[in-house]
Coordinates of all heavy atoms in Angstrom, one line a residue:
S1 N 6.2 3.9 -0.6 CA 6.5 5.4 -0.7 C 5.4 6.0 -1.5 O 4.6 5.4 -2.2 CB 7.8 5.6 -1.2 OG 7.9 5.1 -2.6
R2 N 5.3 7.4 -1.4 CA 4.3 8.1 -2.2 C 4.9 9.4 -2.7 O 5.8 10.0 -2.0 CB 3.0 8.3 -1.4 CG 3.2 9.2 -0.2 CD 1.9 9.2 0.7 NE 0.7 9.7 0.0 CZ -0.5 9.4 0.3 NH1 -0.8 8.7 1.4 NH2 -1.6 9.9 -0.4
D3 N 4.4 9.9 -3.8 CA 4.7 11.2 -4.3 C 3.4 11.9 -4.6 O 2.7 11.7 -5.6 CB 5.5 11.0 -5.7 CG 6.0 12.3 -6.2 OD1 5.5 13.3 -5.8 OD2 7.0 12.2 -7.0
N4 N 3.1 12.7 -3.6 CA 1.7 13.4 -3.6 C 1.6 14.3 -4.8 O 0.5 14.3 -5.4 CB 1.5 14.1 -2.3 CG 1.1 13.2 -1.2 OD1 0.8 12.0 -1.4 ND2 1.0 13.7 0.0
P5 N 2.6 15.1 -5.2 CA 2.4 15.9 -6.4 C 2.1 15.1 -7.7 O 1.4 15.6 -8.6 CB 3.7 16.7 -6.6 CG 4.2 16.8 -5.2 CD 3.8 15.4 -4.5
K6 N 2.5 13.8 -7.7 CA 2.3 13.0 -8.9 C 1.1 12.1 -8.6 O 0.8 11.2 -9.5 CB 3.5 12.1 -9.2 CG 4.7 12.9 -9.7 CD 5.8 12.0 -10.1 CE 7.0 12.8 -10.6 NZ 6.7 13.5 -11.8
N7 N 0.4 12.2 -7.5 CA -0.7 11.3 -7.2 C -0.4 9.8 -7.3 O -1.2 9.1 -7.9 CB -1.9 11.7 -8.0 CG -2.6 13.0 -7.6 OD1 -2.1 13.7 -6.7 ND2 -3.6 13.4 -8.3
T8 N 0.7 9.4 -6.9 CA 1.2 8.1 -7.1 C 1.8 7.5 -5.8 O 2.5 8.1 -5.1 CB 2.3 8.0 -8.2 OG1 1.7 8.6 -9.4 CG2 2.7 6.6 -8.5
V9 N 1.5 6.2 -5.6 CA 2.1 5.4 -4.5 C 2.8 4.3 -5.1 O 2.4 3.7 -6.1 CB 1.0 5.0 -3.5 CG1 0.0 4.0 -4.1 CG2 1.6 4.3 -2.3
Y10 N 3.9 3.9 -4.4 CA 4.8 2.9 -5.0 C 5.0 1.7 -4.0 O 4.9 1.9 -2.8 CB 6.2 3.5 -5.3 CG 6.2 4.6 -6.2 CD1 6.2 5.9 -5.7 CD2 6.2 4.5 -7.6 CE1 6.1 7.0 -6.6 CE2 6.1 5.5 -8.4 CZ 6.1 6.8 -7.9 OH 6.1 7.9 -8.8
L11 N 5.3 0.6 -4.5 CA 5.7 -0.5 -3.6 C 7.0 -1.2 -4.3 O 6.9 -1.8 -5.3 CB 4.6 -1.6 -3.5 CG 4.9 -2.8 -2.6 CD1 4.9 -2.3 -1.1 CD2 3.9 -3.9 -2.8
Q12 N 8.1 -1.0 -3.6 CA 9.4 -1.6 -4.0 C 9.5 -3.0 -3.3 O 9.4 -3.1 -2.1 CB 10.5 -0.7 -3.6 CG 11.9 -1.3 -4.0 CD 12.2 -1.4 -5.4 OE1 11.9 -0.4 -6.1 NE2 12.7 -2.5 -5.9
M13 N 9.7 -4.0 -4.1 CA 9.8 -5.4 -3.6 C 11.1 -6.0 -4.0 O 11.4 -6.0 -5.2 CB 8.6 -6.2 -4.1 CG 7.2 -5.7 -3.7 SD 5.9 -6.9 -4.1 CE 6.0 -6.9 -5.9
N14 N 11.8 -6.5 -3.0 CA 13.1 -7.1 -3.3 C 13.2 -8.5 -2.8 O 12.3 -8.9 -2.0 CB 14.2 -6.3 -2.6 CG 14.3 -4.8 -3.0 OD1 14.2 -4.5 -4.2 ND2 14.5 -3.9 -2.1
S15 N 14.2 -9.2 -3.2 CA 14.3 -10.6 -2.8 C 13.1 -11.4 -2.9 O 12.6 -12.1 -2.0 CB 14.9 -10.7 -1.3 OG 16.1 -10.0 -1.2
L16 N 12.5 -11.3 -4.1 CA 11.2 -12.0 -4.3 C 11.2 -13.5 -4.2 O 12.2 -14.1 -4.6 CB 10.6 -11.5 -5.6 CG 10.1 -10.1 -5.6 CD1 9.9 -9.6 -7.0 CD2 8.8 -10.0 -4.8
K17 N 10.2 -14.1 -3.7 CA 10.1 -15.5 -3.6 C 8.9 -16.0 -4.4 O 7.9 -15.2 -4.6 CB 9.9 -15.9 -2.1 CG 10.9 -15.3 -1.2 CD 10.6 -15.6 0.3 CE 11.6 -15.0 1.2 NZ 11.3 -15.3 2.6
P18 N 8.9 -17.3 -4.7 CA 7.7 -17.8 -5.5 C 6.4 -17.6 -4.7 O 5.3 -17.4 -5.4 CB 8.0 -19.3 -5.6 CG 9.5 -19.3 -5.7 CD 10.0 -18.3 -4.7
D19 N 6.4 -17.6 -3.4 CA 5.1 -17.4 -2.7 C 4.7 -16.0 -2.6 O 3.7 -15.7 -2.0 CB 5.2 -18.1 -1.3 CG 6.3 -17.5 -0.4 OD1 7.0 -16.6 -0.8 OD2 6.4 -18.0 0.7
D20 N 5.5 -15.1 -3.2 CA 5.0 -13.7 -3.4 C 4.1 -13.6 -4.6 O 3.5 -12.5 -4.9 CB 6.2 -12.8 -3.6 CG 7.0 -12.6 -2.3 OD1 6.4 -12.6 -1.2 OD2 8.3 -12.5 -2.4
T21 N 4.0 -14.6 -5.4 CA 3.1 -14.6 -6.6 C 1.7 -14.3 -6.1 O 1.1 -15.1 -5.3 CB 3.2 -16.0 -7.3 OG1 4.5 -16.2 -7.8 CG2 2.2 -16.0 -8.5
A22 N 1.1 -13.3 -6.7 CA -0.3 -12.9 -6.3 C -0.7 -11.7 -7.2 O 0.2 -11.1 -7.9 CB -0.3 -12.4 -4.9
V23 N -1.9 -11.3 -7.1 CA -2.4 -10.1 -7.7 C -2.3 -9.0 -6.6 O -2.7 -9.2 -5.5 CB -3.9 -10.2 -8.2 CG1 -4.3 -8.8 -8.7 CG2 -4.0 -11.2 -9.3
Y24 N -1.6 -7.9 -6.9 CA -1.4 -6.9 -6.0 C -2.3 -5.7 -6.2 O -2.4 -5.2 -7.3 CB 0.1 -6.4 -6.0 CG 1.1 -7.4 -5.4 CD1 1.3 -8.6 -6.0 CD2 1.7 -7.1 -4.2 CE1 2.2 -9.5 -5.4 CE2 2.5 -8.0 -3.6 CZ 2.8 -9.2 -4.2 OH 3.6 -10.1 -3.6
Y25 N -3.0 -5.2 -5.2 CA -3.9 -4.2 -5.2 C -3.5 -3.0 -4.4 O -3.0 -3.1 -3.3 CB -5.3 -4.6 -4.7 CG -5.9 -5.8 -5.4 CD1 -5.6 -7.1 -5.0 CD2 -6.8 -5.6 -6.5 CE1 -6.2 -8.2 -5.7 CE2 -7.4 -6.7 -7.1 CZ -7.1 -8.0 -6.7 OH -7.7 -9.0 -7.4
C26 N -3.7 -1.8 -4.9 CA -3.6 -0.6 -4.1 C -4.9 -0.1 -3.7 O -6.0 -0.4 -4.3 CB -2.8 0.5 -4.8 SG -3.6 1.3 -6.2
A27 N -5.0 0.6 -2.5 CA -6.2 1.0 -2.0 C -6.0 2.4 -1.3 O -4.9 2.7 -0.8 CB -6.8 0.0 -1.0
A28 N -7.1 3.2 -1.2 CA -7.1 4.5 -0.5 C -8.0 4.5 0.7 O -9.1 4.0 0.6 CB -7.5 5.5 -1.6
S29 N -7.6 5.1 1.7 CA -8.3 5.2 3.0 C -8.5 6.6 3.5 O -7.4 7.3 3.7 CB -7.7 4.3 4.0 OG -8.3 4.4 5.3
A30 N -9.7 7.0 3.9 CA -9.9 8.2 4.6 C -10.0 8.1 6.1 O -10.2 9.0 6.8 CB -11.2 8.8 4.1
A31 N -9.8 6.9 6.6 CA -9.9 6.6 8.0 C -8.9 7.2 8.9 O -9.2 7.4 10.1 CB -9.9 5.1 8.2
H32 N -7.8 7.7 8.4 CA -6.7 8.2 9.2 C -7.2 9.6 9.8 O -6.5 10.0 10.8 CB -5.5 8.4 8.4 CG -4.2 8.0 9.1 ND1 -3.1 7.5 8.5 CD2 -3.9 8.1 10.5 CE1 -2.2 7.2 9.4 NE2 -2.7 7.6 10.6
Y33 N -8.2 10.2 9.3 CA -8.7 11.4 9.9 C -9.2 11.2 11.4 O -9.1 12.2 12.2 CB -9.9 11.9 9.1 CG -9.5 12.6 7.8 CD1 -9.8 12.1 6.6 CD2 -8.9 13.9 7.9 CE1 -9.4 12.7 5.4 CE2 -8.5 14.6 6.7 CZ -8.8 14.0 5.5 OH -8.5 14.6 4.3
S34 N -9.6 10.0 11.7 CA -10.0 9.7 13.1 C -8.9 9.7 14.1 O -9.2 9.8 15.3 CB -10.8 8.4 13.1 OG -9.9 7.3 12.9
G35 N -7.7 9.6 13.7 CA -6.6 9.5 14.6 C -6.3 8.0 15.0 O -5.3 7.8 15.7
S36 N -7.1 7.1 14.6 CA -6.9 5.7 14.8 C -7.0 5.0 13.5 O -8.1 4.9 12.9 CB -8.0 5.2 15.8 OG -7.8 3.8 16.1
F37 N -6.0 4.4 13.0 CA -5.9 3.7 11.7 C -5.4 2.3 11.9 O -4.4 2.0 12.5 CB -4.9 4.5 10.8 CG -4.8 4.0 9.4 CD1 -5.9 3.7 8.6 CD2 -3.5 3.8 8.9 CE1 -5.7 3.3 7.4 CE2 -3.4 3.3 7.6 CZ -4.5 3.0 6.8
Y38 N -6.2 1.4 11.3 CA -5.9 0.0 11.3 C -5.5 -0.4 9.8 O -6.4 -0.8 9.0 CB -7.0 -0.9 11.8 CG -7.4 -0.5 13.2 CD1 -8.4 0.5 13.5 CD2 -6.7 -1.1 14.3 CE1 -8.7 0.8 14.8 CE2 -7.0 -0.7 15.6 CZ -8.0 0.2 15.8 OH -8.3 0.6 17.1
P39 N -4.2 -0.3 9.5 CA -3.9 -0.4 8.0 C -4.1 -1.8 7.4 O -4.2 -1.9 6.2 CB -2.3 -0.1 8.1 CG -1.9 -0.4 9.5 CD -3.1 0.0 10.3
D40 N -4.2 -2.8 8.3 CA -4.4 -4.2 7.7 C -5.8 -4.6 7.6 O -6.1 -5.7 7.3 CB -3.6 -5.2 8.6 CG -4.1 -5.2 10.1 OD1 -4.7 -4.2 10.5 OD2 -3.8 -6.2 10.8
D41 N -6.7 -3.7 7.9 CA -8.2 -3.9 7.9 C -8.7 -3.4 6.5 O -8.7 -2.2 6.3 CB -8.9 -3.2 9.0 CG -10.3 -3.5 9.1 OD1 -10.9 -4.2 8.3 OD2 -10.9 -3.0 10.1
R42 N -9.2 -4.3 5.7 CA -9.8 -4.0 4.4 C -10.9 -2.9 4.5 O -11.1 -2.1 3.6 CB -10.3 -5.2 3.7 CG -9.2 -6.1 3.2 CD -9.8 -7.3 2.4 NE -10.5 -6.8 1.2 CZ -11.4 -7.5 0.5 NH1 -11.6 -8.8 0.9 NH2 -11.9 -7.0 -0.6

């Protein structure tokens, strides 16, 4: 989810498993302006 007035994006994670252990990164993309967005592409 995101709160644009607060310039913040959130990730709620439930039912966590040991294999969820990782470093989590957030990222910003300007690519959506093209009308074609590949969200899983770094």
Side-chain angles (χ1 to χ4, degrees):
S1 61
R2 67 190 296 163
D3 188 339
N4 283 348
K6 294 185 180 295
N7 287 0
T8 302
V9 62
Y10 305 95
L11 184 71
Q12 177 70 44
M13 302 190 292
N14 302 320
S15 301
L16 286 164
K17 305 173 181 179
D19 59 2
D20 292 321
T21 296
V23 177
Y24 285 72
Y25 300 89
C26 67
S29 174
H32 224 148
Y33 283 110
S34 69
S36 181
F37 180 53
Y38 300 92
D40 59 343
D41 185 354
R42 289 182 64 195

